[in-house]
């Protein structure tokens, strides 16, 4: 494989190019762009391709252009040749807005959370109707999310997020890289997110006596005070 | 090389690199930051580098080695960059660049920013997320030692409080509600807050907490040359049977005498423009935030309230065209008017914060679409009538060149907020849903 073409803008025969991830654009957009372009036209916005073998390429970005070129019947397409590193594919798709970027909820700042939720809620068919953006941002920001192993605890924040469609929507933009739980926890909010059983084991480990009659609130108070 | 020699060495059109090499170090030295207390090309986060960062050494923690907790940033420019003219593009760009560094999440410990090209210098103060000029652009000529002394004194004794005036010369946009709820939210975050009801004609603020206005005491203090404003400050606790440690803030109530007894012409002869600022200056170090609830007009009291401020927060309403227009007028005309007055006293400011929309609806609702059209017109008119003044960053703070973002800082319409008024309690204290809205607002503007 020759690396010399990487970074170049080249005019490649259409039949040497394989489609990559297909575009989900509406056929109206594809058809009208194709009729504007015509079979002799030039695609000034290039396809981004990687080289599979000599004279064989695959689309990694701007797959909308590929669909339009196919519809218009172009014989030659202008392409930028990219290298085949996975990061290249990822950044190309992000720049072409072909993937939904994801935010690390374990470490995200308030602004990042706010922007991600705002994006989700501004989608026309969002299942997050009736969820208060302000409340969710405040509560997510304050929650001990660095320890979360999955997004399930969001359902306990009292923000009308239920396990199911709403949580699935949040999973589209958030992922987690959890830290291990500390041995001794005194943070009240974190303690409250644990189950009574977990709290009891923790209290036993720290040599508290007379635990059997205590309710969850008492256990939290006991562990938080120490 | 000392500072005077450095200034003589520099050619009249010295480039940034030369100013950096010859002038920057002796300048910081003169401001009290020694060789091991400054660092050039200091990395700000992962993306930027500021020309110089500085901090006094604390015991063993040598700044130039640890590079931790910078206290001051300095952005150096070439002599050709016109920093002396605040309307010049050079100045605007340089100030924007410095603000970008100061607002980076890696700059939390930074309190001061300096913009300098060896001909002019300006000091900016950073208080949380608010950055405002502390001094005007000062020319560095024969009086350089005096300028250095002044800057050094300011940098070494930073003031604690930020004075924010809530103003719109249209009534009924929620100035009092906003003031009260912001103060409550900050008090809940354990900040020390003072609110000043400076609208003697309405005295709504005291009213919404069920407190009686003052009778003449504030007038005496404002007239006095050596005011002790502590006499009229009273603490207000937010009581609730289920809250064990009630949050509290301090309050200066409106003075009925200011409204009743004297006609305005006579009053303006007795009270100087800087009366309120001078009175508040003495308690500035006791508080993190001082909010002034200004009256809705552009007369005596409003002018004093704006004069006293470091930053002006302008609420507006989407369903009230005049409140939007007046917000624009305040930024293009009224605040610059006061800035000129302040400059004559060798001070700078106040700055306008982005406009905030009170009681908004969903962004898709027709009323909001109508509002955006109105705002576009206000922005266009300001550009045409005020020498290219760009109001866009004030209405749409998240927009940037190449990115239209019509998101505004806002509080949605909530029945809670007006209901709380009837209970003589701030909504941010009585209702969690309201508190969370104001918490976002506070984080957006201040923290």
């Amino acid at each position: 494989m020759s690396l010399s073409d990487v970074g170049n803008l080249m005019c490649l025969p259409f039949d040497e190019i394989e489609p990559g991830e297909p575009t989900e654009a509406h056929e109206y957009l594809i058809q009208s762009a194709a009729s504007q372009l015509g079979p002799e036209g030039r695609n000034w916005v290039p396809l981004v391709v990687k080289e599979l073998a000599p004279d064989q390429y695959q689309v990694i970005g701007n797959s909308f252009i590929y669909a339009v070129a196919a519809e218009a019947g172009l014989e030659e397409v202008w392409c930028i040749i990219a290298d085949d590193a996975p990061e290249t594919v990822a950044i190309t798709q992000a720049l072409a807005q072909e993937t939904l970027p994801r935010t690390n909820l374990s470490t995200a700042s308030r602004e990042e959370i706010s922007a991600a939720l705002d994006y989700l809620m501004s989608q026309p068919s969002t299942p997050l109707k009736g969820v208060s953006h302000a409340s969710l941002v405040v509560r997510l920001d304050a929650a001990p999310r660095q320890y979360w192993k999955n997004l399930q605890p969001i359902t306990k924040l009292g923000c009308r997020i239920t396990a199911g469609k709403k949580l699935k929507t949040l999973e589209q933009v958030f992922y987690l890289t959890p830290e291990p739980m500390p041995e001794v926890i005194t943070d009240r909010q974190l303690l409250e997110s644990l189950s009574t059983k977990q709290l009891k084991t923790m209290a036993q480990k720290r040599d508290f006596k007379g635990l059997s009659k205590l309710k969850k609130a008492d256990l939290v108070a006991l562990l938080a005070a120490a | 090389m000392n500072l005077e020699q450095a200034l003589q060495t520099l050619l009249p059109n010295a480039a940034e690199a030369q100013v950096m090499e010859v002038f920057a170090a002796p300048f910081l030295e003169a401001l009290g930051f020694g060789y091991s207390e400054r660092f050039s090309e200091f990395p700000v986060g992962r993306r930027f580098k500021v020309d110089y960062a500085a901090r006094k050494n604390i015991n063993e923690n040598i700044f130039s080695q640890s590079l931790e907790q910078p206290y001051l940033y300095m952005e150096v420019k070439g002599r050709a960059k016109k920093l002396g003219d605040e309307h010049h593009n050079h100045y605007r760009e340089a100030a924007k660049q410095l603000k970008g560094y100061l607002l980076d999440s890696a700059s939390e410990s930074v309190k001061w920013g300096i913009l300098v090209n060896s001909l002019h210098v300006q000091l900016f103060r950073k208080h949380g997320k608010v950055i405002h000029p502390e001094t005007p652009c000062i020319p560095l000529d024969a009086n350089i030692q005096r300028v250095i002394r002044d800057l050094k004194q300011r940098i070494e004794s930073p003031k604690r409080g930020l004075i924010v005036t809530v103003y719109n010369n249209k009534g009924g946009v929620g100035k009092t509600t906003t003031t009260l709820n912001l103060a409550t939210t900050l008090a809940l975050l354990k900040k020390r807050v003072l609110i000043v009801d400076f609208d003697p004609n309405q005295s709504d603020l005291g009213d919404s907490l069920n407190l009686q206005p003052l009778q003449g005491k504030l007038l005496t203090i404002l007239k006095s040359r050596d005011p002790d404003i502590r006499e009229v400050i009273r603490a207000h606790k937010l009581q609730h049977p289920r809250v064990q440690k009630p949050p509290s803030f301090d309050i200066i109530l409106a003075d009925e005498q200011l409204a009743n007894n004297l006609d305005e012409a006579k009053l303006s002869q007795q009270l100087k423009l800087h009366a309120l600022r001078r009175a508040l200056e003495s308690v500035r170090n006791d508080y993190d935030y001082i909010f002034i609830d200004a009256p809705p007009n552009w007369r005596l009291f409003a002018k004093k309230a704006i004069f006293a401020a470091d930053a002006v927060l302008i609420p507006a309403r989407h369903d009230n065209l005049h409140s939007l227009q007046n917000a624009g007028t305040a930024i293009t005309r009224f605040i610059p008017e006061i800035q000129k007055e302040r400059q004559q006293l060798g001070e700078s400011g106040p700055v306008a914060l982005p406009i905030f929309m009170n009681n908004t609806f969903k962004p898709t609702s027709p009323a909001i679409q109508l509002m955006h059209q109105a705002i576009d017109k206000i922005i266009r008119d300001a550009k045409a009538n005020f020498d290219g003044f760009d109001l866009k960053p004030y209405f749409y703070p998240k927009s940037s060149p190449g990115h239209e973002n019509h998101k505004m800082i806002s509080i949605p319409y909530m029945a809670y907020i007006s209901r709380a008024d009837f209970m003589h309690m701030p909504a941010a204290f009585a209702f969690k849903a309201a508190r969370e809205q104001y918490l976002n607002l506070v984080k957006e503007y201040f923290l």
Side-chain angles (χ1 to χ4, degrees):
Chain A
M1 194 191 290
S2 77
L3 282 170
S4 56
D5 286 338
V6 167
N8 285 350
L9 179 66
M10 295 181 75
C11 189
L12 301 175
F14 186 71
D15 54 16
E16 286 180 8
I17 307 169
E18 285 176 24
E21 282 288 311
T23 177
E24 285 171 16
H26 196 275
E27 59 172 314
Y28 169 69
L29 301 176
I30 294 170
Q31 278 167 4
S32 46
S35 67
Q36 214 174 337
L37 184 64
E40 302 296 320
R42 169 168 177 167
N43 59 310
W44 287 96
V45 178
L47 263 178
V48 186
V49 297
K50 67 177 180 187
E51 206 172 7
L52 296 175
D55 298 334
Q56 205 187 343
Y57 302 90
Q58 188 182 30
V59 177
I60 62 168
N62 275 354
S63 47
F64 176 73
I65 312 283
Y66 183 91
V68 173
E71 178 75 24
L74 288 192
E75 284 176 8
E76 286 181 326
V77 187
W78 288 89
C79 301
I80 287 190
I81 318 290
D83 61 44
D84 56 358
E87 301 86 62
T88 309
V89 176
I91 188 59
T92 305
Q93 288 182 345
L95 288 175
Q97 298 185 52
E98 287 169 351
T99 46
L100 188 54
R102 300 182 81 208
T103 298
N104 186 349
L105 189 60
S106 308
T107 55
S109 68
R110 195 193 74 93
E111 279 79 14
E112 286 166 334
I113 297 175
S114 170
L117 289 173
D118 194 64
Y119 170 77
L120 285 180
M121 289 178 180
S122 65
Q123 297 302 303
S125 58
T126 178
L128 297 174
K129 289 220 168 73
V131 175
S132 157
H133 177 262
S135 299
L136 189 52
V137 170
V138 166
R139 293 182 199 185
L140 270 180
D141 188 30
R145 52 197 155 84
Q146 67 270 39
Y147 305 118
W148 288 355
K149 295 198 172 58
N150 52 44
L151 296 182
Q152 205 67 32
I154 296 179
T155 57
K156 304 242 167 66
L157 292 179
C159 285
R160 301 199 202 170
I161 305 282
T162 42
K165 240 195 230 165
K166 287 181 181 161
L167 203 60
K168 281 255 164 61
T169 314
L170 294 183
E171 274 166 11
Q172 287 176 354
V173 293
F174 290 128
Y175 69 98
L176 295 159
T177 50
E179 283 175 26
M181 281 264 198
E183 284 284 306
V184 176
I185 304 174
T186 51
D187 181 52
R188 188 168 278 273
Q189 210 182 1
L190 183 54
L191 287 170
E192 269 162 12
S193 69
L194 301 174
S195 72
T196 315
K197 199 174 163 193
Q198 281 172 310
L199 290 175
K200 274 203 178 149
T201 352
M202 205 177 286
Q204 270 161 6
K205 265 193 200 153
R206 283 166 60 185
D207 287 336
F208 286 110
K209 300 282 181 249
L211 299 170
S212 57
K213 290 232 172 97
L214 293 185
K215 294 214 174 71
K216 183 169 175 180
D218 306 322
L219 282 165
V220 169
L222 185 72
L223 287 167
Chain B
M1 196 188 298
N2 71 23
L3 204 51
E4 273 88 1
Q5 287 168 331
L7 283 174
Q8 277 166 10
T9 314
L10 281 172
L11 296 171
N13 57 350
E16 178 172 334
Q18 288 154 335
V19 178
M20 216 24 209
E21 191 184 317
V22 180
F23 171 81
F27 184 67
L28 282 173
E29 187 81 42
L31 287 176
F33 296 97
Y35 181 70
S36 65
E37 297 173 326
R38 53 181 193 251
F39 192 83
S40 61
E41 299 294 319
F42 181 82
V44 178
R46 280 187 311 172
R47 287 182 296 168
F48 309 115
K49 276 194 174 143
V50 65
D51 290 335
Y52 257 104
R55 191 205 65 203
K56 295 259 156 127
N57 293 334
I58 308 162
N59 303 328
E60 298 293 287
N61 194 332
I62 309 293
F63 179 65
S64 62
Q65 285 167 16
S66 72
L67 301 185
E68 287 163 355
Q69 308 276 325
Y71 180 66
L72 176 147
Y73 284 166
M74 184 165 88
E75 183 59 31
V76 180
K77 292 287 166 206
R79 287 192 150 186
K81 296 276 181 200
K82 294 190 171 48
L83 297 185
D85 175 7
E86 295 193 5
H87 299 291
H88 200 285
N89 246 358
H90 287 164
Y91 171 81
R92 284 190 191 154
E93 272 165 26
K96 199 172 158 197
Q97 187 188 3
L98 180 63
K99 274 179 201 168
Y101 298 153
L102 289 170
L103 286 177
D104 194 277
S105 57
S107 313
E108 209 169 302
S109 60
V110 183
K111 291 273 178 289
W112 301 101
I114 293 180
L115 202 55
V116 69
N117 69 350
S118 78
L119 294 172
H120 289 89
V121 63
Q122 185 172 25
L123 180 67
F124 291 84
R125 171 180 180 229
K126 174 167 173 262
H127 184 283
K129 266 191 184 169
V130 179
I131 293 166
H132 65 92
E134 172 82 11
T135 65
C137 247
I138 313 170
L140 289 174
D141 36 36
N143 60 3
I144 186 157
Q145 285 309 332
R146 214 179 59 223
V147 175
I148 292 274
R149 244 196 330 274
D150 176 48
L151 291 180
K152 196 173 168 192
Q153 197 240 333
R154 287 178 196 266
I155 291 170
E156 280 173 3
S157 54
K159 288 168 280 188
R160 180 174 170 196
L162 181 77
I163 304 180
V164 181
T165 294
V166 183
Y167 174 73
N168 188 326
N169 63 342
K170 182 78 193 165
V173 292
K175 286 185 290 295
T176 303
T177 316
T178 308
T179 310
L180 203 55
N181 283 303
L182 287 179
T184 306
T185 312
L186 286 163
L188 286 165
L189 294 170
K190 307 259 186 296
K191 303 280 179 203
R192 288 279 293 138
V193 184
L194 170 71
I195 41 186
V196 185
D197 185 353
F198 209 57
D199 186 356
N201 290 309
Q202 298 185 1
S203 65
D204 278 349
L205 205 141
D207 209 47
S208 57
L209 295 169
N210 224 354
L211 302 171
Q212 294 306 313
L214 297 169
Q215 302 293 342
K217 268 194 184 162
L218 186 58
L219 179 61
T220 328
I221 286 167
L222 290 180
K223 276 197 234 164
S224 137
R225 199 178 300 171
D226 181 24
D228 183 13
I229 203 159
R230 287 189 180 83
E231 281 175 32
V232 287
I233 294 178
R234 56 176 288 177
H236 183 74
K237 273 190 183 169
L238 295 162
Q239 303 282 2
H240 190 279
R242 274 186 293 155
V243 176
Q244 279 162 2
K245 280 188 210 145
S248 72
F249 47 75
D250 286 357
I251 183 164
I252 297 175
L253 291 163
D255 193 332
E256 271 192 340
Q257 297 282 322
L258 287 176
N260 299 341
N261 283 2
L262 298 153
D263 62 282
E264 194 166 309
K266 207 171 157 200
L267 207 56
S268 67
Q269 290 163 1
Q270 294 185 340
L271 297 183
K272 298 226 170 83
L273 190 56
H274 59 257
L276 183 61
R277 186 167 176 87
R278 188 173 58 190
L280 289 176
E281 209 60 60
S282 61
V283 289
R284 200 201 257 262
N285 281 329
D286 300 346
Y287 297 97
D288 296 308
Y289 292 92
I290 300 176
F291 286 101
I292 304 170
D293 185 14
N297 51 44
W298 186 236
R299 297 211 301 269
L300 193 65
F301 288 104
K303 286 183 186 175
K304 286 196 205 325
I306 301 282
F307 189 94
D310 297 323
V312 184
L313 178 62
I314 307 171
R317 283 180 60 128
H318 71 91
D319 54 358
N320 186 327
L321 177 63
H322 302 290
S323 78
L324 294 167
Q325 287 171 338
N326 291 350
T329 318
I331 294 171
T332 48
R333 271 181 48 207
F334 297 163
I335 294 176
E337 198 178 298
I338 297 295
Q339 282 169 345
K340 277 206 192 96
E341 297 280 344
R342 286 263 287 265
Q343 234 157 49
Q344 293 185 350
L345 297 178
E347 286 191 49
S348 193
V351 290
L353 297 172
I355 292 159
F356 124 80
M357 301 306 289
N358 208 357
N359 292 3
T360 50
F361 295 163
K362 270 200 217 119
T364 45
S365 81
I368 298 291
Q369 305 293 334
L370 208 61
M371 175 195 78
H372 284 307
Q373 287 171 15
I375 291 178
D376 285 344
K377 185 167 184 310
I378 293 170
I379 293 175
R380 271 202 312 278
D381 288 354
K383 258 212 179 97
N385 301 335
F386 287 91
D387 194 21
F389 199 109
D390 191 10
L391 275 177
K392 202 169 186 183
Y394 296 99
F395 280 105
Y396 301 131
K398 297 208 166 136
S399 256
S400 58
H403 181 206
E404 274 300 295
N405 186 344
H406 283 186
K407 193 126 239 132
M408 301 178 79
I409 302 177
S410 60
I411 292 275
Y413 170 78
M414 285 180 119
Y416 290 127
I417 294 176
S418 47
R419 206 163 92 204
D421 256 355
F422 288 92
M423 297 159 60
H424 296 295
M425 217 186 256
F429 180 61
F431 300 105
K432 195 172 182 185
R435 174 157 66 252
E436 282 166 344
Q437 292 291 352
Y438 280 104
L439 202 56
N440 272 319
L441 194 67
V442 158
K443 296 225 161 137
E444 202 79 48
Y445 276 118
F446 300 118
L447 299 178

